[in-house]
Structures are given as C-alpha cells and as structure tokens.
Amino acid sequence: MKFIENLIRSIANETADKAISRMVNDQYTENLSATIPVGQKIGMANLMEILMRSAHGTPVPRPLGSPIHFSPWEKLLFNPVHLFRMPTPEKVAIDTSVTIGPRARKPLTISIPIMIAAMSFGGALSKNAKLALAKAATAAGTATNSGEAGLLREEREAASLFIGQYNRGGWMNTPDKYMQLDAVEIQLGQGAQGSASQRTTPKNIGEDYREVYGLKEGEPSVIHSRLPGVDSPEEFIGLVGRLREETGVPVGLKIAATHHLEKELQIALDAGVDFITLDGAEGGTHGGAPTLQDDVGLPTLFAVARASRYLARKGAVGQVSLIATGGLVTPGCMLKAMALGADAVYIGTAAMMALIGDQIVETAPFEAATSLVVYTGKMTSELDVDRSARNLARYLGACVTEMEQVAQSLGRTALSDISKSDLCTLDADIARTTGLQWGWASPDMQDEALEWRTFPAAVSPERQPGRPTRETEEVSVSAYSI
Amino acid sequence: MAEWNDMKQTIEYLSSEIARIETMAGTLSSVEHEHYRKLTGFEKQELVDIAVEEQSAARQLGTIKQMCLNMSRRLDGMLQSMEPGAGHEVH
C-alpha cells in the first residue's frame, strides 16, 4: 500500500513539475494559464456557456436560474426589541399559519408560510422527486405546486394541499383536472423564463410523461408564450371569473416580476384574483436560456415591495394574498419578503437541495447532485423518496423555527404580524423606494439624513444654498461612493 | 319556517362546536410545543426526529385553530344574515 502511495505521489509530482515548467516557459499566447485572465475577464460561467453555445448552436439550458445576486437582501436587517416593546416570552407559541385567498369560497390555509414552488413532473423533475416534495409538504402542513404539467395522480394523492398550474401548455386546463386542485394558479410567466415559450423534444419525453401530458408518441411538449384562449386582458378577466365560480378554490395569477408590475397587477385585481404570485428575476428553473435568466425581469425584493405598496393603495391587502418567490434561499430572505408584504413564499432551489440532503454522496464526485432529481437525470432511480421527504420536512421545520426566533426577538406572536416597521435598511436608495427606515440615522432624522445623501451640489452647484426636498432630488448617492 | 329554524339551529350548533375545537387545538398545540422543547434537550437523533414531528404537529394544530376562526367568522355571517330584519326571512 505504502509503495502504491509513493508511486502515485511520484507521478503526481512529476506531472505537476512538467505542467508548471510549461506554464512558466511557454509564450503567454500558447500557454494554458492564459485561460486564467480570460476567465477573469469574462467570468468562468460565461466562458463555459460560450463554449457550450459554440458546440451545440442552441441556447444553453442552464439549470437552477441565474447566478447573479439581484436582490440585496443582506442590506435589510430586522430590529430586535428589549424594553420599548418587550420580546415575546418563549412559552408563547408563534402563529405560523397563513390563509391564501381569504375571499375564496374555499380558502387554502397552510401551517407554515413556506410552500414548495412550481416544478413540473417531466418538464423538470422525476416522479420520485415530485412524490418526495409532496410527502414533505404534507408532513409540514403546507402545499406543493404542480408546475406546468398535467395532473400526476400519485402526486395529487401524496399532497394534502395541492396547487395546480393552469398552464400555457394546456395540460391542466380541463375541469376533470383543475377541479381536483386546492388552488388554481394561472401561469403566465416565471422569473427564469419571462413569458417566453419553451419546448421539450420527444427524445426527452418518456411514456409516463406522455401519459400525464396527454401527448402522442413523437410529439414535443410546448409551453406557448400566451395562455391558449387568453389574447386580451378581457379574456383573462373572464377566465378568472369562470374558474372562481366553477371551483370555489383560490384562483391566482403567477407572473415573472417586471417593471410593468403595477399595470399587470391592476388587471389581476380587475379580474378578482385571490392571490398573486410574483417570481423575481432570481427564480430558478430546470433549464433555461442564460439570457432569459440573467437579463429579463425584476428582482424579487423590489417586486414584493412595489406589489405590496400597490395592493395597499388599492385596498386589497388582506383580500388578495401575495406570494413571493425567486431566489429565496435562506429563512432570513423568506421572512424579509414577508415583512415587505408577502403573505407566503415559494421555494424551489433550496427545497431541492434540502431534499437531496445527505444523498448527495451518491452522486459525488462524478455526477451533479441534480442527476438524482431531474426527469432526464442518470440517477433518478437512486433517490430514496421517504428519506428525501424526511430531509425536506426537517429543513422546512428548521427554517420556520429560525423565523420564530426572529419573531420572538421582534416581540411578535405571529409571523404574519411582522411588517416593514420591523426592518431597517443599510441602503439609502432602498429606504427611499421601499419606505423602510434607513439604519444609518435615527427615526426622527430620516428625512434630513436621506436628503443629505443626495449631493445635488455635485451636479448643480447653483442649487447648493437650498437643500433639495426628497421630491426634487435628482441624483442619488449610488452614483457617488462615499 | 320550521326548516329555517332547523337550519339556524344547525349553524348555531356548528358554530359552538367549532369554537370548542378551536380551544382544544390551541391547548394541544401548546402541549406539543412543550414536548418539542423538552425533546430537543436530548442528544439522541431519534428523539430529535420525534421533536421535529411534534413541532410540526404543534404548528398544524395552530393552523386548525386558525381554520376554526375563519369558519366561525363565516358561520357568524350566515347567522347574522338569518336574523329578523336581515331580509332573508321566510314568511
């Protein structure tokens, strides 16, 4: 054994010596180490995607969404209390339940404010993964979501609360399917794809997939950019009314967050939706074009803050539930989204990672962990459904416990009671746009301090004598680093 | 009129029973919560797993309480609409 170890060390040493010598002596242009500055210049992920595009000639189906950190959640902090308001005694249980669509004839009440995001069977995940998600959601007393798929009977049976997507592929859009749902989410877009169309080629469609989607052999599955039958706002309003009347369950709208947010929300309110799901630009997917992921949409933080303000202005708070999703990977982010106005959150990527949990060792080091859960993965049969469900249920429990700890420190008795007044921000621009208080200044100094941070004199010296009001400010501090 | 009274009494019965369920769920939720607290004091993984289940049960009982409250509100609304003068009397 010792001999083999020495032999391996000797070979490794020799190889490393030769590689280093070549890197030192070769011209930079002919040198392997040239990839280091090139990689730094364009980024390793971009470099890999350039190579993939050049090899395949098609958009690269990048899994799990954009790696760009769009929402500055770390710039928001909760405000603990000690005396001015007392912390919640530890004997007092924190209420974690949420009712989605309180106006619906049959509202949906979940035990924790975290739900499992839309990830479709076939289009994204294997049947085993979907079953594990449904079982975990049931154990935690929350809901799981079908994603853009047909009705997978086993998933429906395993999930005590099941939200189904009335989707642009049309696979859930018949009464025999949507009447079996606990809530209907009309899917018009998602954070990682905008409202772009998607297509799964027949080679990636197995028999079970065809059965659930009602596809013929050799037929691709296509998600259209528009929902079939909805070519105008009026048709959408009609659809919502019909589904609400027919099902009695909460009927909601899911869209990719966008700068046109308020216009979209107004149509949703006109339609009388029971809930609105906003998927921020950070939203994940099984595989989507990098350009749609990195360059399209609005970050979750700003989308939630704007939507919450709009719903408040329209008197819809408490009537229309707001669900936030997209890039919410820590309990802190989830709770901050709720404090900004979301009633509940969906998690996708974090749920998948938690579900795989300790089974990651089955794939390492030669396969990606996702090969255990994606429909086309090489190791989907290796996923232990019950173990996965247990992992995810534990994760959900731990996340909510951490949220409860924050609630205790804020002196709150329900997660839904946590609001913007429990947050401050370290960023002056976020303070101005979201209405959060700026942590750099005391509450009584907010207006003055935020005005001081605008530096109008730097662009227009003639205005120096009179400080601008918040309404007249033109240039914010973000353009000038202090 | 007799049918109307029957329905009113049935709704009153449901409302009162739901109020009892709400109270019981609240009490049981506190008990489960306390179990969770005690069980997490042990090192053994099996006990911690049970604690996690107790905690989930506590939350779900809390949800039952919330659901009862929602249902009570709806039933109260129905009862109010059945009161004389509410415009739904059967003559």
Side-chain angles (χ1 to χ4, degrees), chain A residues 90 97 99 102 104-105 107 109 111-112 139-141 394 397 400-401 404, chain B residues 29 33-34 36-37 45 49 52 55-56 59-60 62-63 66-67 70 74:
Chain A
E90 58 271 25
S97 62
T99 299
R105 291 203 302 280
T109 303
S111 297
I112 58 171
R394 279 198 205 117
V400 179
T401 303
E404 288 171 334
Chain B
S29 176
H33 199 70
E34 196 50 40
Y36 161 73
R37 211 183 292 282
Q45 184 57 43
D49 277 345
V52 171
Q55 185 192 37
S56 179
R59 288 186 186 128
Q60 294 191 43
T63 308
Q66 188 59 43
M67 289 158 78
N70 293 344
R74 292 231 171 155

Side-chain angles (χ1 to χ4, degrees), chain A residues 93-397:
Chain A
I94 306 292
D95 180 9
T96 60
S97 62
V98 178
T99 299
I100 306 290
R103 276 192 319 196
R105 291 203 302 280
K106 297 184 243 174
L108 174 70
T109 303
I110 49 179
S111 297
I112 58 171
I114 310 171
M115 298 185 285
I116 306 302
M119 294 177 277
S120 68
F121 160 67
L125 299 180
S126 69
K127 188 182 281 188
N128 278 350
K130 287 298 282 174
L131 289 182
L133 289 172
K135 285 185 172 194
T138 300
T142 191
T144 190
N145 190 307
S146 68
E148 292 174 283
L151 188 78
L152 177 62
R153 188 178 45 80
E154 294 94 325
E155 183 185 21
R156 170 62 279 196
E157 285 167 4
S160 67
L161 298 172
F162 188 53
I163 300 173
Q165 286 194 333
Y166 192 97
N167 58 64
R168 291 175 286 146
W171 306 299
M172 188 73 84
N173 304 3
T174 49
D176 59 311
K177 291 174 181 157
Y178 62 67
M179 290 302 284
Q180 296 186 47
L181 306 173
D182 298 302
V184 179
E185 186 173 67
I186 302 171
Q187 206 273 19
L188 298 186
Q190 65 180 100
Q193 311 258 11
S195 49
S197 61
Q198 296 163 55
R199 189 173 187 274
T200 304
T201 52
K203 76 177 168 63
N204 289 328
I205 299 178
E207 198 182 332
D208 50 357
Y209 187 147
R210 281 202 303 275
E211 191 187 320
V212 170
Y213 285 63
L215 298 170
K216 296 187 196 84
E217 199 166 348
E219 185 184 354
S221 73
V222 179
I223 294 171
H224 305 283
S225 56
R226 290 184 183 188
L227 185 68
V230 174
D231 291 304
S232 67
E234 291 73 25
E235 283 173 337
F236 175 74
I237 291 169
L239 173 67
V240 172
R242 179 170 66 75
L243 288 174
R244 288 192 83 228
E245 184 56 36
E246 218 175 321
T247 63
V249 300
V251 174
L253 167 68
K254 178 181 178 180
I255 54 170
T258 160
H259 189 57
H260 300 302
L261 188 64
E262 289 76 9
K263 291 173 193 157
E264 305 278 17
L265 291 180
Q266 187 54 56
I267 296 167
L269 292 178
D270 290 343
V273 295
D274 297 295
F275 66 95
I276 292 164
T277 303
L278 286 180
D279 195 5
E282 304 93 322
T285 180
H286 67 288
T291 307
L292 287 173
Q293 294 181 14
D294 297 345
D295 304 288
V296 173
L298 188 73
T300 307
L301 189 156
F302 303 111
V304 173
R306 281 172 55 171
S308 149
R309 179 176 284 190
Y310 193 76
L311 294 182
R313 247 173 48 207
K314 295 291 169 178
V317 171
Q319 314 260 323
V320 177
S321 307
L322 180 62
I323 303 172
T325 184
L328 301 172
V329 292
T330 69
C333 299
M334 298 171 206
L335 194 59
K336 285 171 188 172
M338 290 173 64
L340 286 176
D343 293 283
V345 299
Y346 276 125
I347 57 164
T349 304
M352 291 317 300
M353 295 297 120
L355 179 141
I356 293 168
D358 55 1
Q359 295 173 87
I360 201 161
V361 294
E362 309 289 340
T363 61
F366 300 115
E367 296 291 340
T370 46
S371 67
L372 281 168
V373 292
V374 296
Y375 181 74
T376 49
K378 291 177 191 161
M379 300 181 71
T380 50
S381 58
E382 309 271 322
L383 189 81
D384 181 331
V385 174
D386 289 329
R387 189 167 151 198
S388 302
R390 215 165 32 245
N391 287 346
L392 179 53
R394 279 198 205 117
Y395 169 77
L396 291 170

